Amino acid sequence: MCRIIGHLGARLSADSLRAAAGLQRAGGPDAQYLAARDGWALGANRLAVMAPQGGRQPYSLGTGIHVVYNGEIYNHRDLRRRLAGFGHRVDDDCDGAVLPALYAHYGDGFAEHLDGMFAIAVIDLRNTPRLVLATDGAGMKPLYYHWDPAAGSLLFASELPALLALPGVPRVPRLSGLDDYLTTKTPFGDETMYEEVRALPAATDLVFEPGRGMRLHRRGPARAEPFPGGPAGPPATLEAAGAHVRNLLRAETGRLAEADAPVCAVVSGGLDSSLVTALLAERIPSLHSFTICYRGTWPFDERAFAAEAARHAGTVHHEVEADPAEFVTLLPDVVARLGQPNADPITVSSYALFRAIREAGFTVALTGDGADEVFLGYRRMQQALTGGADWQDAYVDSLAAVPGALREELYSSEYRDWLRAAGSSEDRLRRRLADRLAAVPGDAAPGSAALAALTALELDERLPAYHLRRVDHLSMAHSVEVRLPFCQPGVQRTATALPQPWKLTARDDKRALREAARGLVPDSVLQRPKQPFTLPITAMLRDGLPLMEYARDLLSPEDVRRDGQLDAAAVQRLLRRQEERPDDTTALAVWALMIHRTWRAQLAAPALTGARAA
């Protein structure tokens, strides 16, 4: 696991590259590498998880091919054997050492042969210098880039603060960024909050050659049977499907348990993380598990469910008790680490949890992220299945940090006018959803078509942007590598191929996954209603509590007016509404504005942002 940085075509000193790479050193504290030549550079900060004695980057093949990468290649042993048959000898035991030979043999399509989570950069100097970037199929390992056609350069980094610290990368916020953020809680797809910075989408290859420009290629799904070793089609019963899913997850979890560093599990008390913990405990004796809870008495306390799941699995369980009074000091650090706003309150809790995991001596953590997307566990998915013709309205509203009517109230008149002319984020989201719907076969039932369209959008855009980048940045902020069984290609292929009624009906969600977990997790966990694993901000944003006092200071009329996008009087009314009649919608709106205001303040103070991120 590493953090990577580099460029092709720019004129950057080694000192400026080292300074920028230092901003993402927490994600790779064990070694720092930089190869900087005339017109190109590749750098890596290493977190030693596999083969700690090897792994020196860039990995090279002769003088022509140089590679840095972030992630884990799970099929590297199979690739070594295959490459040996082609005459390539790979001496370094580290998984990434196979990449130069793999690229040399397969060219730009080399990533199609990888099984793992990765963000890869290849400099090929054999003819015309060229840069190739590649991301894994789920988007587990983020990569950000800035392309300057006029200068003929492309710069990239694993984290936004590092990329923005490179000379020549503009720190200009997008005018539509606030509307994007409040509509979907963070920008989706390849967008970021910055005008000239993009995120490389999942399953995407980027090829850049100065003088010839840049091109993107989206790889298709890997070719493999969704039910290997079984019948030609899906299992014949729900019970058989559950057994197949259980066996598949057992194999994937066992594979992800392999590491030359200590491995633990994150358990929230929900179905997904409890199942991963139970399966991991089968592989690792005296497995340690971790959950987050909050000092004091708060609603939605899941520690009892997490503890029961841990007892059932036989783990050594740790309750990380975060102090809500500390959140006002953690919040700026969290925003700086993410590099842009994410409105999910769980960001602060996750930051505190991964800090505790690292302090306890663990480098690798397995989590249950991604299960709701692949096995259909969100309430909005049931609503789309049964909601009739207006399901799109409910779906779009469900993704928002601030509902549409309230956004209109909070925006300044100038910003509202600009959005009417430029087009709103909600309009663009509806068009993308309509495009997904148009791609569904015409013979699909209306509910199934709606479900297929939104699931495609969730997997392609929301999961990488909203969930996986957040998990990656906040875990690597404390030198912890997160591994994600539900995001593995085999699991996603199987879940996609399962008949929809075995995943979701009007009454039950994640049916095949619940069947797979039967007997492995306590009945209390298996049967409990879904509850978001989050921070109880409605209760914490109350008069007299530290978080509310912080909100008032942060959202003062003077600060709110500074950007010209929000109506200061409307924001004050929102704060009073939360003080007098607290509710979840108002609390999340206040929280989202706090996060955005924190980010804008850091954007105006780059030295402070860099210090916090270092």
Side-chain angles (χ1 to χ4, degrees):
M1 182 63 67
C2 303
R3 282 315 200 217
I4 63 174
I5 194 169
H7 75 87
L8 177 62
R11 296 184 178 183
L12 300 178
S13 69
D15 287 344
S16 65
L17 284 160
R18 289 192 189 95
L23 297 180
Q24 52 187 18
R25 183 169 180 171
D30 298 323
Q32 287 75 48
Y33 309 115
L34 178 65
R37 305 290 187 268
D38 185 25
W40 67 272
L42 293 174
N45 302 69
R46 188 182 186 211
L47 177 63
V49 174
M50 303 295 291
Q53 301 309 312
R56 183 175 182 84
Q57 299 194 42
Y59 301 109
S60 298
L61 185 63
T63 60
I65 299 175
H66 308 282
V67 182
V68 291
Y69 108 106
N70 170 29
E72 300 289 350
I73 307 300
Y74 300 124
N75 65 333
H76 68 99
R77 295 185 181 88
D78 292 338
L79 292 174
R80 284 171 194 276
R81 288 190 287 269
R82 188 194 308 177
L83 291 167
F86 298 141
H88 294 285
R89 177 177 174 179
V90 181
D91 293 325
D92 191 329
D93 290 334
C94 199
D95 54 329
V98 302
L99 292 171
L102 194 73
Y103 171 80
H105 189 79
Y106 291 107
D108 295 347
F110 76 101
E112 295 178 1
H113 302 271
L114 296 173
D115 179 6
M117 55 179 181
F118 54 83
I120 301 170
V122 180
I123 291 284
D124 183 351
L125 303 173
R126 291 174 299 176
N127 296 298
T128 302
R130 63 204 309 265
L131 170 67
V132 181
L133 305 179
T135 51
D136 67 72
M140 290 177 275
K141 291 286 103 181
L143 195 61
Y144 304 95
Y145 68 94
H146 165 65
W147 175 40
D148 186 340
S153 64
L154 192 143
L155 304 88
F156 65 89
S158 295
E159 297 182 11
L160 279 167
L163 180 61
L164 293 165
L166 290 173
V169 179
R171 298 169 55 88
V172 179
R174 284 192 301 115
L175 283 175
S176 60
L178 174 63
D179 191 49
D180 288 352
Y181 164 62
L182 295 183
T183 301
T184 54
K185 298 179 185 172
T186 203
F188 279 8
D190 69 341
E191 296 283 7
T192 72
M193 294 289 285
Y194 302 92
E195 190 68 43
E196 297 187 49
V197 173
R198 293 289 182 270
L200 192 61
T204 297
D205 305 322
L206 180 156
V207 178
F208 169 66
E209 299 178 28
R212 296 187 180 180
M214 179 191 76
R215 66 180 186 272
L216 296 171
H217 168 67
R218 184 72 186 267
R219 302 190 302 276
R223 297 184 184 90
E225 291 298 325
F227 305 106
T237 65
L238 177 60
E239 291 74 17
H244 180 82
V245 169
R246 179 170 56 250
N247 291 336
L248 176 60
L249 284 170
R250 179 174 281 127
E252 292 288 355
T253 301
R255 191 170 62 138
L256 270 56
E258 295 183 14
D260 295 321
V263 178
C264 70
V266 172
V267 57
S268 68
L271 170 64
D272 314 330
S273 63
S274 297
L275 177 55
V276 169
T277 299
L279 293 172
L280 189 59
E282 296 177 349
R283 182 60 65 98
I284 299 178
S286 301
L287 173 72
H288 287 246
S289 59
F290 291 79
T291 193
I292 189 79
C293 52
Y294 310 108
R295 187 171 301 168
T297 302
W298 304 98
F300 310 119
D301 191 330
E302 294 194 280
R303 75 182 78 193
F305 291 104
E308 189 172 358
R311 282 194 300 271
H312 199 274
T315 70
V316 179
H317 190 53
H318 305 260
E319 290 184 353
V320 178
E321 191 174 68
D323 185 353
E326 185 190 15
F327 292 161
V328 296
T329 60
L330 287 184
L331 194 148
D333 295 333
V334 169
V335 175
R337 270 296 169 191
L338 293 171
Q340 63 181 357
N342 183 308
D344 193 338
I346 199 61
T347 54
V348 176
S349 308
S350 298
Y351 187 82
L353 176 63
F354 289 120
R355 179 181 62 185
I357 287 172
R358 184 63 179 186
E359 289 173 350
F362 292 89
T363 306
V364 178
L366 270 67
T367 77
D369 291 282
D372 286 316
E373 286 78 8
V374 298
F375 284 100
L376 310 187
Y378 290 121
R379 176 62 183 157
R380 59 180 174 268
M381 294 174 171
Q382 284 182 312
Q383 291 174 331
L385 183 65
T386 61
D390 60 348
W391 67 270
Q392 294 185 50
D393 295 336
Y395 177 71
V396 169
D397 284 345
S398 74
L399 300 182
V402 179
L406 183 53
R407 290 198 301 273
E408 283 282 312
E409 177 185 333
L410 292 172
Y411 291 156
S412 67
S413 58
E414 294 82 5
Y415 193 51
R416 284 196 299 269
D417 291 342
W418 185 86
L419 287 173
R420 290 189 188 100
S424 70
S425 178
E426 182 173 316
D427 291 339
R428 291 189 293 274
L429 178 61
R430 288 179 181 277
R431 285 196 296 270
R432 296 204 301 277
L433 189 58
D435 290 342
R436 302 280 184 178
L437 192 60
V440 176
D443 59 351
S448 297
L451 196 57
L454 71 86
T455 300
L457 189 144
E458 297 253 355
L459 289 173
D460 289 347
E461 298 194 40
R462 187 176 188 271
L463 178 62
Y466 180 61
H467 284 286
L468 300 183
R469 292 175 201 163
R470 176 187 75 213
V471 169
D472 173 83
H473 294 328
L474 298 180
S475 59
M476 292 292 272
H478 301 291
S479 308
V480 174
E481 172 184 292
V482 167
R483 296 181 177 179
L484 305 144
F486 290 108
C487 292
Q488 299 310 302
V491 176
Q492 293 201 350
R493 284 194 301 269
T494 292
T496 300
L498 285 173
Q500 173 244 300
W502 291 355
K503 291 178 286 188
L504 183 72
T505 67
R507 297 182 59 186
D508 299 311
D509 63 6
K510 293 192 287 195
R511 298 184 71 212
L513 191 61
R514 292 185 191 280
E515 191 65 31
R518 201 171 300 282
L520 291 173
V521 304
D523 288 344
S524 59
V525 171
L526 194 64
Q527 297 168 4
R528 64 181 293 219
K530 180 175 177 57
Q531 175 180 307
F533 182 42
T534 190
L535 186 72
I537 56 169
T538 303
M540 292 181 177
L541 280 167
R542 289 179 183 262
D543 195 33
L545 296 181
L547 205 58
M548 193 66 196
E549 296 302 319
Y550 184 65
R552 288 195 193 97
D553 291 340
L554 200 59
L555 298 174
S556 69
E558 297 77 17
D559 286 335
V560 168
R561 290 192 191 98
R562 189 166 292 128
D563 301 330
Q565 294 179 315
L566 293 171
D567 183 304
V571 172
Q572 293 306 304
R573 289 195 297 271
L574 183 76
L575 289 169
R576 286 196 298 273
R577 191 182 313 159
Q578 178 62 19
E579 291 168 357
E580 297 167 2
R581 300 182 302 280
D583 68 80
D584 293 345
T585 299
T586 305
L588 182 56
V590 170
W591 177 268
L593 295 182
M594 289 168 60
I595 297 295
H596 187 265
R597 185 64 240 159
T598 299
W599 170 72
R600 286 305 300 251
Q602 292 176 352
L603 189 63
L608 180 60
T609 301
R612 281 176 173 154

